[in-house]
Amino acid sequence: MIRALLVLFFTCGTLRAQFEGVIETGNTTTDETGTEQHYVMTMWIKGSMAKITNTATPSTPASTMIYRSDLRMIRILNDENKTYFEIPQGKSKDEGSEEGGKPAAIKKTGKTKKILGYRCDQYLMREEEMETEIWGTKDLKGLSSALARALGEERAGQGAAWNDELTRLGIYPILANTRIEGKVVESQEVVRIEKRSLPDDLFSLPAGYKKQSVGDILK
């Protein structure tokens, strides 16, 4: 749920200048035995392009995904055997079930603190036995806008139920923890936000990679 947290937020209303640069997060999740697993997610964002990598955990291999909204294509790379496969970006409005229902109930506690130099407010969301704590800022609307442009429709309708409500409020999460019965089961913290120019070839397919079909992957 939180693993893709930064990938899942749209921003509404008038937005600031588009963000170009790198975001890095430290993440913790738990496997089916309750054992903690740690990984780092790094996102490079430029215009309509994004590249996202996740380091390996004991149960999950490292991954690289290149989002090309300009080509309406997502490329998923297997760096171990230098192969990749492509899937179309975006899905038809006729596909899947209709979204709706009440937005997630997010409570602003009034507590604030600075994280990475950004003023963040604390928000809480409870759903049955699960509680999520979020420290989010409204000072990164350009980053939210850049993610929305690069990731397109893949950003919508995924992850936690409170994503859309944070989007509506214009909040970008810097720190998030999800607890069940008081125990943290997932967490994510932004550890680096670096605004800088990125070369276009960073988002190109690496040389020597062979294309596979989804059927090849399942064999």
Side-chain angles (χ1 to χ4, degrees):
M1 179 178 63
I2 290 181
R3 177 167 186 147
L5 188 63
L6 296 184
V7 180
L8 306 174
F9 293 88
F10 283 106
T11 301
C12 302
T14 302
L15 301 174
R16 300 177 184 176
Q18 289 283 324
F19 175 92
E20 180 177 347
V22 185
I23 304 97
E24 186 174 299
T25 67
N27 307 267
T28 300
T29 187
T30 52
D31 62 18
E32 62 277 2
T33 68
T35 302
E36 288 189 353
Q37 299 192 33
H38 307 277
Y39 64 96
V40 174
M41 180 171 69
T42 306
M43 296 190 292
W44 294 264
I45 303 167
K46 180 177 183 177
S48 59
M49 303 178 292
K51 180 178 181 179
I52 302 173
T53 64
N54 289 293
T55 58
T57 70
S59 63
T60 307
S63 64
T64 299
M65 299 181 71
I66 299 175
Y67 290 77
R68 293 293 302 265
S69 289
D70 55 333
L71 303 176
R72 302 295 294 170
M73 188 68 63
I74 303 170
R75 291 172 173 148
I76 303 172
L77 280 59
N78 184 326
D79 296 317
E80 184 176 353
N81 60 18
K82 291 192 175 183
T83 60
Y84 74 98
F85 68 95
E86 296 179 341
I87 57 176
Q89 189 177 33
K91 53 187 177 182
S92 167
K93 292 181 180 180
D94 295 331
E95 295 178 6
S97 59
E98 295 184 2
E99 296 181 13
K102 295 182 179 180
I106 298 178
K107 177 183 177 182
K108 185 177 180 179
T109 68
K111 294 182 180 180
T112 64
K113 65 179 177 180
K114 277 197 171 183
I115 306 176
L116 296 181
Y118 296 96
R119 182 189 183 277
C120 296
D121 295 293
Q122 184 190 44
Y123 301 85
L124 296 177
M125 195 279 288
R126 290 183 175 86
E127 187 177 6
E128 297 180 353
E129 77 280 8
M130 182 169 61
E131 178 184 79
T132 299
E133 173 193 28
I134 299 163
W135 289 89
T137 182
K138 294 185 177 181
D139 295 337
L140 288 170
K141 291 183 178 180
L143 173 52
S144 289
S145 175
L147 283 171
R149 181 182 178 190
L151 302 180
E153 296 175 25
E154 273 63 34
R155 195 178 181 205
Q158 298 182 24
W162 35 264
N163 290 340
D164 290 341
E165 182 65 4
L166 285 182
T167 292
R168 187 185 70 80
L169 296 172
I171 300 162
Y172 190 87
I174 299 293
L175 174 65
N177 294 294
T178 295
R179 297 178 175 87
I180 296 179
E181 297 180 352
K183 177 180 173 58
V184 176
V185 293
E186 287 189 310
S187 68
Q188 181 176 64
E189 180 176 8
V190 177
V191 296
R192 178 166 65 108
I193 300 174
E194 182 181 351
K195 298 178 182 179
R196 62 181 174 90
S197 296
L198 301 173
D200 288 348
D201 60 9
L202 178 66
F203 307 93
S204 299
L205 190 67
Y209 276 62
K210 180 181 177 182
K211 185 176 181 179
Q212 289 189 311
S213 68
V214 176
D216 293 332
I217 301 297
L218 297 176
K219 287 180 180 179

